[in-house]
């Protein structure tokens, strides 16, 4: 029943290769959902600004309308004072009414100035509104594009990810619980998620430090599981990895474009 060290290493190596593929697929997908959610945040921000500016414009419009009504009222007052002035008896009464008329005239001037101020403010708000709406529209177009791209890539990768997850399940079943935990512990500590590294030209394929000759032959002997002295990754020799000149798995991440070329038939 005892599983040989060589078999254990082979199973761990297999699991590592499946995880490498899954990590690569997730890395490719990883950027897009983030870009989509950034754009959604941007759009929400611009929509809030557009609404706010529109509210400001509406309230300025109301102010203008109110001032116009006030001007009409003062104009009616002035008309009334003029009628009274035409039928006045004494000069004291004349002066009093004339004073009222003058005040109403000043009120109209002041209201007209206010209206000019409001109109200027409305104009500048409208300019800001136009540029904000343009930014909003361009973000919306970007979002539509990115969402379509994301859906497409997800569809393309979905099948592959499902297959890899199944492979992973099967590969994990063959591995002793203790090694499985160790594998994950090492993997979590590595930026590139590589816990099982091949020997590449006499060095650790994970951290590239030289492996002493004695350790190298111990690894080749498969009498026990041996880790890299420097990074702690589990070492596998060429016999297990099947890799002579190994360019480190995670070093060459496929770009999104490359990914799509390789997944498309
Ligand atoms: Zn190492």
């Amino acid at each position: 029943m005892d599983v040989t060290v060589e078999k254990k290493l082979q199973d761990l190596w297999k699991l590592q290769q499946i995880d490498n593929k899954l990590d690569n697929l997730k890395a490719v997908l990883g950027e897009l959902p983030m870009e989509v959610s950034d754009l959604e945040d941007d759009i929400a921000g611009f929509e809030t600004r557009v609404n706010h500016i529109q509210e400001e414009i509406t309230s300025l419009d109301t102010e203008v309308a109110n001032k116009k009504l006030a001007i009409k009222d003062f104009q009616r007052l002035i008309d009334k004072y003029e009628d009274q002035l035409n039928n006045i008896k004494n000069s004291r009464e004349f002066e009093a009414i004339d004073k009222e008329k003058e005040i109403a005239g000043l009120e109209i001037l002041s209201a007209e100035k206010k209206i000019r101020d409001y109109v200027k403010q409305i104009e500048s708000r409208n300019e800001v509104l136009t540029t904000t709406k343009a930014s909003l529209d361009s973000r919306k177009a970007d979002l539509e594009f990115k969402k379509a791209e994301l859906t497409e890539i997800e569809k393309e990768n979905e099948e592959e990810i499902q297959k890899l997850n199944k492979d992973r399940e099967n590969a994990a079943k063959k591995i002793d619980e203790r090694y499985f935990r160790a594998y994950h512990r090492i993997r979590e500590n590595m930026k590139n998620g590589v816990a099982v590294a091949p020997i590449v030209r006499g060095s650790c394929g994970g951290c590239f430090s030289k492996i002493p000759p004695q350790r190298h032959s111990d690894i080749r002997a498969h009498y026990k599981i041996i880790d890299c002295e420097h990074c702690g990754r589990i070492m596998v020799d060429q016999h297990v990895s099947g890799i002579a000149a190994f360019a480190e798995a995670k070093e060459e991440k496929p770009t999104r474009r490359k990914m799509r070329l390789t997944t498309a038939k």
Side-chain angles (χ1 to χ4, degrees):
M1 273 313 272
D2 224 26
V3 183
T4 64
V5 172
E6 185 181 332
K7 178 78 174 61
K8 281 177 188 165
L9 287 169
Q10 277 167 347
D11 291 342
L12 283 165
W13 174 243
K14 195 172 177 196
L15 180 66
Q16 179 68 68
Q17 282 177 303
I18 295 166
D19 278 337
N20 286 351
K21 285 182 191 164
L22 279 168
D23 287 349
N24 280 342
L25 282 173
K26 280 174 197 159
V28 168
L29 265 181
E31 305 158 20
L32 258 180
M34 226 147 37
E35 285 170 27
V36 165
S37 91
D38 282 353
L39 275 170
E40 281 169 342
D41 288 349
D42 276 5
I43 286 169
F46 279 118
E47 274 171 347
T48 307
R49 277 175 66 187
V50 164
N51 286 338
H52 181 68
I53 299 165
Q54 274 166 339
E55 277 167 18
E56 281 180 328
I57 291 172
T58 306
S59 96
L60 284 164
D61 281 340
T62 309
E63 295 289 348
V64 169
N66 288 342
K67 288 293 171 198
K68 281 181 176 168
L69 284 176
I71 288 173
K72 271 187 186 156
D73 286 344
F74 285 120
Q75 195 55 58
R76 268 196 291 273
L77 269 180
I78 289 172
D79 291 348
K80 192 186 89 185
Y81 293 145
E82 275 171 355
D83 277 349
Q84 289 173 345
L85 289 173
N86 288 333
N87 307 305
I88 236 62
K89 306 282 180 320
N90 62 64
S91 66
R92 245 185 79 191
E93 208 182 332
F94 184 94
E95 267 170 36
I97 293 171
D98 197 48
K99 184 83 196 158
E100 290 298 322
K101 188 190 146 191
E102 196 191 327
I103 289 169
L106 289 174
E107 291 285 3
I108 289 175
L109 286 179
S110 151
E112 282 170 347
K113 187 184 174 299
K114 280 269 183 220
I115 288 175
R116 283 195 300 276
D117 286 348
Y118 291 145
V119 168
K120 256 187 215 159
Q121 286 182 48
I122 291 169
E123 277 168 7
S124 86
R125 291 292 189 285
N126 270 321
E127 274 169 30
V128 178
L129 185 63
T130 306
T131 56
T132 309
K133 273 184 173 169
S135 304
L136 176 62
D137 287 346
S138 94
R139 295 295 195 291
K140 276 183 172 171
D142 281 354
L143 178 66
E144 217 169 290
F145 180 79
K146 290 260 193 275
K147 267 187 170 170
E149 204 183 357
L150 180 61
T151 310
E152 198 187 326
I153 295 177
E154 270 175 345
K155 216 167 70 191
E156 282 172 2
N157 290 351
E158 195 180 2
E159 222 173 284
E160 201 172 345
I161 288 174
Q162 271 178 5
K163 187 191 165 294
L164 284 168
N165 277 331
K166 197 157 200 106
D167 289 350
R168 191 181 197 282
E169 244 175 73
N170 291 331
K173 271 184 216 155
K174 293 179 187 157
I175 296 167
D176 184 85
E177 170 103 30
R178 192 162 61 96
Y179 290 118
F180 192 64
R181 273 205 307 270
Y183 170 84
H184 278 101
R185 199 171 50 240
I186 301 168
R187 206 168 118 75
E188 273 161 29
N189 287 328
M190 302 303 166
K191 260 189 195 146
N192 61 5
V194 172
V196 183
I199 298 168
V200 185
R201 292 183 212 96
S203 298
C204 165
C207 69
F208 304 107
S209 37
K210 227 58 228 111
I211 299 165
Q214 183 54 51
R215 207 170 178 85
H216 196 159
S217 45
D218 286 347
I219 295 164
R220 269 196 304 232
H222 303 151
Y223 73 85
K224 64 170 186 164
I225 288 177
I226 294 171
D227 60 2
C228 167
E229 291 176 296
H230 295 274
C231 67
R233 288 179 172 94
I234 298 165
M235 302 302 315
V236 290
D237 66 326
Q238 188 189 335
H239 181 77
V240 171
S241 73
I243 295 168
F246 179 84
E248 220 239 9
K250 305 307 270 310
E251 211 171 40
E252 197 193 342
K253 267 188 190 165
T255 61
R256 201 181 297 159
R257 193 166 303 268
K258 251 199 217 158
M259 201 69 218
R260 295 172 70 178
L261 283 176
T262 52
T263 51
K265 288 264 156 98

